[in-house]
Amino acid sequence: MNLKEIFDQKQYKRLSVYQKEIFVTNLFHSKWWDKIPKQDHILLLKELQNVLSNKYRNGQYQLIVLPSDYQLQECLFEMITNVYEKRILMRKSFIEDGIIQDGYDDIYVLDFLNVYLLDCIYHENYHIISRQQSILKSSTILEREFLEQLLWCLTLNRKENIPIMEQIGSLENDLLEKDVLGYYMIPDEYYAHRFAYEQVARIFDRTISLYGEDENFRKYIVDVKREQSVLAQKYNNEHGTQYTFDELYEQIYLTDIIRSSAKDEEEVKEVYQKLKERKHFIKR
């Protein structure tokens, strides 16, 4: 399958951004994915990123392939966005062979790479949109999840002479190393994971109806549910509770964020009411 030739065709270029998204994401189904040489994974990802940049009006972000061992023992990531330079970074070994980091010392090969890469691209695009909305700081246009992220930012003990985005990045890295559940409960991360999962499920509902079942998609679903279950169970065991993963966010972590950023109980109630009135910003 010659992806460059496909994406250069006039017939493809004439498609709308929504038609292009459907066409490109269809290629992530295993029926087509298995026909794509691993060195061409980046071509597929770059085209999808171009499509999503136009769809979400993010501005063009460049996908950069890093050496396979880039910061392997220093920074835990498979794909990460630099919003200042408008770049999405990923390691060569990850996009070609599915080699991901399991903690700072161990690595393993992911056997549902086609689905996981799709998840990662939508996840990073959520972060790009979130950063843009947060920078605007206009509650008249911000939607619920972005308001919650702003509230979380208000709880930070900010340091002088250090950019807020740098402080947020440092805190996120620290949580990822020491408190994985706390990291997942940062509003921006919680909603990015949920958004990516919803988009992947939507895409594979379509591709499965067209091309048949995809075993890799089933593995992805199991992996997502297992990770959430393990994190929730660990919290429940430590606190004698019975929360689900989503209940932990809504009833524990979000409540703590609001109480930390509000002046009194009356303002807590007002914040909750404002959040309930707002729908999600990103539409399908």
Side-chain angles (χ1 to χ4, degrees):
M1 181 179 292
N2 190 326
L3 292 181
K4 186 178 186 305
E5 185 177 287
I6 291 172
F7 296 141
D8 284 341
Q9 290 178 356
K10 291 182 180 179
Q11 183 178 2
Y12 172 76
K13 290 184 176 181
R14 284 196 295 264
L15 297 175
S16 72
V17 66
Y18 299 100
Q19 291 171 322
K20 285 181 179 179
E21 182 184 17
I22 290 172
F23 182 88
V24 175
T25 53
N26 280 352
L27 298 177
F28 283 84
H29 188 281
S30 291
K31 175 182 177 180
W32 303 112
W33 178 264
D34 293 340
K35 298 178 182 180
I36 299 173
K38 68 179 185 179
Q39 64 269 20
D40 287 347
H41 291 173
I42 186 60
L43 295 179
L44 181 59
L45 292 175
K46 283 184 175 180
E47 182 57 28
L48 178 56
Q49 181 55 40
N50 288 336
V51 171
L52 295 181
S53 290
N54 290 327
K55 178 182 178 181
Y56 299 132
R57 300 178 182 178
N58 288 333
Q60 293 299 317
Y61 271 70
Q62 186 180 9
L63 266 68
I64 304 296
V65 179
L66 303 169
S68 296
D69 61 350
Y70 181 81
Q71 292 189 345
L72 201 61
Q73 302 300 324
E74 301 172 25
C75 184
L76 187 64
F77 75 93
E78 285 95 43
M79 188 180 294
I80 192 169
T81 298
N82 184 320
V83 293
Y84 298 111
E85 300 177 2
K86 290 194 171 184
R87 301 195 305 169
I88 299 176
L89 311 173
M90 62 200 82
R91 294 189 315 279
K92 185 174 185 288
S93 60
F94 168 56
I95 62 172
E96 291 192 357
D97 299 308
I99 296 176
I100 68 175
Q101 299 175 82
D102 183 17
Y104 284 89
D105 300 320
D106 302 317
I107 59 175
Y108 68 98
V109 178
L110 195 72
D111 62 355
F112 49 95
L113 179 61
N114 58 321
V115 191
Y116 195 65
L117 282 174
L118 195 59
D119 179 290
C120 287
I121 284 291
Y122 279 95
H123 183 114
E124 294 308 316
N125 274 271
Y126 183 94
H127 284 319
I128 293 168
I129 296 170
S130 178
R131 292 295 189 263
Q132 290 179 332
Q133 292 293 307
S134 296
I135 289 171
L136 291 174
K137 296 182 179 179
S138 173
S139 61
T140 59
I141 64 173
L142 292 176
E143 295 294 342
R144 172 174 175 171
E145 52 264 48
F146 305 129
L147 283 172
E148 291 171 8
Q149 174 68 4
L150 285 176
L151 289 173
W152 179 78
C153 290
L154 291 175
T155 69
L156 303 182
N157 295 319
R158 303 187 184 186
K159 302 175 183 178
E160 294 184 5
N161 302 321
I162 300 178
I164 181 60
M165 295 304 299
E166 184 177 327
Q167 294 181 52
I168 290 174
S170 177
L171 176 58
E172 288 178 347
N173 288 335
D174 190 53
L175 284 172
L176 187 56
E177 182 179 358
K178 301 176 182 177
D179 180 9
V180 177
L181 179 60
Y183 173 79
Y184 273 78
M185 293 293 135
I186 298 171
D188 200 38
E189 285 300 327
Y190 174 81
Y191 283 111
H193 280 94
R194 193 164 87 173
F195 174 72
Y197 178 83
E198 289 172 350
Q199 297 306 306
V200 169
R202 173 180 63 87
I203 289 165
F204 273 87
D205 279 346
R206 181 186 69 245
T207 59
I208 287 172
S209 69
L210 292 172
Y211 311 121
E213 293 297 323
D214 192 316
E215 177 65 14
N216 288 350
F217 176 63
R218 187 191 67 79
K219 292 177 181 177
Y220 164 81
I221 295 292
V222 170
D223 186 74
V224 170
K225 297 299 184 184
R226 179 177 60 239
E227 184 175 34
Q228 292 183 354
S229 177
V230 168
L231 290 172
Q233 191 58 51
K234 183 176 183 295
Y235 181 96
N236 289 330
N237 289 342
E238 292 175 355
H239 296 85
T241 53
Q242 294 184 338
Y243 292 113
T244 65
F245 183 82
D246 290 327
E247 286 172 344
L248 281 174
Y249 178 78
E250 292 286 346
Q251 300 183 35
I252 302 297
Y253 283 85
L254 179 57
T255 297
D256 286 345
I257 290 169
I258 293 174
R259 289 188 183 282
S260 297
S261 59
K263 296 190 297 290
D264 50 40
E265 286 300 312
E266 190 61 34
E267 187 172 350
V268 169
K269 294 178 182 178
E270 291 176 2
V271 171
Y272 268 117
Q273 184 58 38
K274 289 180 180 179
L275 292 177
K276 288 179 181 179
E277 295 171 355
R278 297 186 177 273
K279 298 180 181 179
H280 295 295
F281 169 75
I282 301 177
K283 308 297 190 297
R284 288 188 175 183

